[in-house]
Amino acid sequence: MLSDQAQVDISVVIPTFRRNRELAEAIASVQAQEGVTLEVLVVDDCPDGGAGPVVEGLQDPRVSYQKNPVPTGGV
């Protein structure tokens, strides 16, 4: 996550449920934006938290991960 002092131009929330390949593509699309400061919040609705490793593997402080505490199963 960006520091509190950083000015963010665009915030993107990506909800996901067992679609890791598509999640990686969506994040890459946001990361490719130029000329703006951005942050990405991935909200995982999967009980096993499968999107966590995708986000962690990016090692990008602009991208954060939040597992839904009460998953709905993508509903």
Side-chain angles (χ1 to χ4, degrees), residues 14 16 18-28 31 40 42 44 48-60 63-65:
I14 303 175
T16 189
R18 293 187 178 144
R19 296 179 61 95
N20 290 350
R21 182 176 51 92
E22 293 84 352
L23 172 62
E25 291 172 2
I27 293 170
Q31 291 172 314
V40 180
V42 174
D44 192 355
D48 65 11
V54 174
V55 173
E56 291 167 9
L58 296 172
Q59 297 183 353
D60 186 337
V63 183
S64 63
Y65 172 80

Side-chain angles (χ1 to χ4, degrees), residues 6-51:
Q7 178 68 23
V8 175
D9 298 315
I10 299 172
S11 297
V12 178
V13 178
I14 303 175
T16 189
F17 178 78
R18 293 187 178 144
R19 296 179 61 95
N20 290 350
R21 182 176 51 92
E22 293 84 352
L23 172 62
E25 291 172 2
I27 293 170
S29 176
V30 175
Q31 291 172 314
Q33 302 307 306
E34 297 181 2
V36 294
T37 302
L38 57 93
E39 65 181 354
V40 180
L41 174 60
V42 174
V43 181
D44 192 355
D45 196 34
C46 186
D48 65 11

